[in-house]
Amino acid sequence: MTLRKGEKTTISIQEHMAIDVCPGPIQPIKQISDYFPRYPRGLPPTAPPALSRAGSLRSSASQQSEGLPSDPHREDEDLDRAFGATAPLPSKKEEEPDVEGYDSDDSTTLGTLDFSLLYDQENNALHCTINKAKGLKPMDHNGLSDPYVKLHLLPGASKANKLRTKTLRNTLNPVWSETLTYYGITDEDMVRKTLRISVCDEDKFRHNEFIGETRIPLKKLKPNQTKNFYNCLEKQLPIDKTDDKSLEERGRIMISLKYSSQKSGLVVGIVRCAHLAAMDANGFSDPYVKTYLKPDENKKSKHKTTVKKKTLNPEFNEEFFYEIKYAELSKKTLEVTVWDYDIGKSNDFIGWLFLGINANGERLKHWFDCLKNKDKKIERWHTLTNELPGSVFSD
């Protein structure tokens, strides 16, 4: 049929029907499901794109027309892919761990601390060697920290029994190799005390920040044996609020007692103090010690040491003599007070203790040992507290 220029092609209804029934490969009519494939329940919509139904059937038809052997299993897979069905994907939880399941503030993220402890029983000293820390939590904007370590004895934590190391700048793995020593530690302290070791970040223009801590009950230590520790730091633990704040520790004092049968009197020695509370703005005190043997009807039993300037660990090595019969000694009480000397104003009270039959613990034992052992000097460390009867508040 020859068409002239400008004429439109006209097809009769018979010719139109003949096109659909003409021999040749069957062209399937697309369904709406081809455009919206059905995924198996539970699979995400990110499955691999399915092959079109037309393409899969056409490929199978061409495979048959070429005389190749057909694979029924493969044909089923082609049909599944054509209609959007795919093999189930492996579960994501099986492939990789659930990172969000871990606590992001776990103790291991705070770092670890390497230190050792030694209780010198003969000298009543607790030596704390802070070796190093590793993997500390960054506290500064540069991703580093300026760490230092501070120690407290619990219960009774106060500035008086705080020790600290030097500060190391810009590091998460500091090496201190520094030994801090508590003096005046008794066997009684080793049973009831706990050492708190805290790691902090020092800031020049704001408050220092807490990184982590660890606590060691001193009863775990054996006398004169060094024990090494490598502990993970923990979050700040609450301090027992049941501790009586009126019995806050203010330091330690070493006192010697001896009853001289030759002189018929009690010799009291004020040897030294350790870890006294700081009463002045410079972080120190100017301490001195006063003693009384009570009851004191004539008020003549007061003795006072010299003043030691700008120190929290003064050494006095001074002795005072009280003339008294041995039989009367059991009725007496030795009262010891420690003061901070100030010029132009009232002196500050630091701490006190008493020895006698009304005392308890190490103080009572010290007094009885003195009574049992005439002419023998007996030295003991004792704890100073801030509790004081009003009768001796006046200096």
Coordinates of all heavy atoms in Angstrom, one line a residue, residues 182 298 374 390:
Y182 N 50.7 8.3 105.1 CA 49.9 8.6 106.2 C 50.6 8.2 107.5 O 51.0 7.0 107.6 CB 48.5 7.9 106.2 CG 47.5 8.6 105.3 CD1 47.1 8.0 104.1 CD2 46.9 9.7 105.7 CE1 46.1 8.6 103.3 CE2 45.9 10.4 104.9 CZ 45.6 9.8 103.7 OH 44.6 10.4 102.9
N298 N 43.4 23.4 141.4 CA 44.2 24.6 141.5 C 44.5 25.2 140.2 O 45.1 26.3 140.1 CB 45.5 24.3 142.3 CG 45.3 23.8 143.7 OD1 44.3 24.3 144.3 ND2 46.1 22.9 144.1
K374 N 55.5 0.6 135.1 CA 56.2 1.8 135.7 C 57.6 2.0 135.0 O 58.2 1.0 134.6 CB 56.3 1.6 137.2 CG 55.0 1.7 137.9 CD 55.2 1.5 139.4 CE 54.0 1.6 140.2 NZ 54.2 1.4 141.7
G390 N 32.9 22.3 126.5 CA 32.9 23.7 126.6 C 33.9 24.3 127.6 O 34.3 25.4 127.6

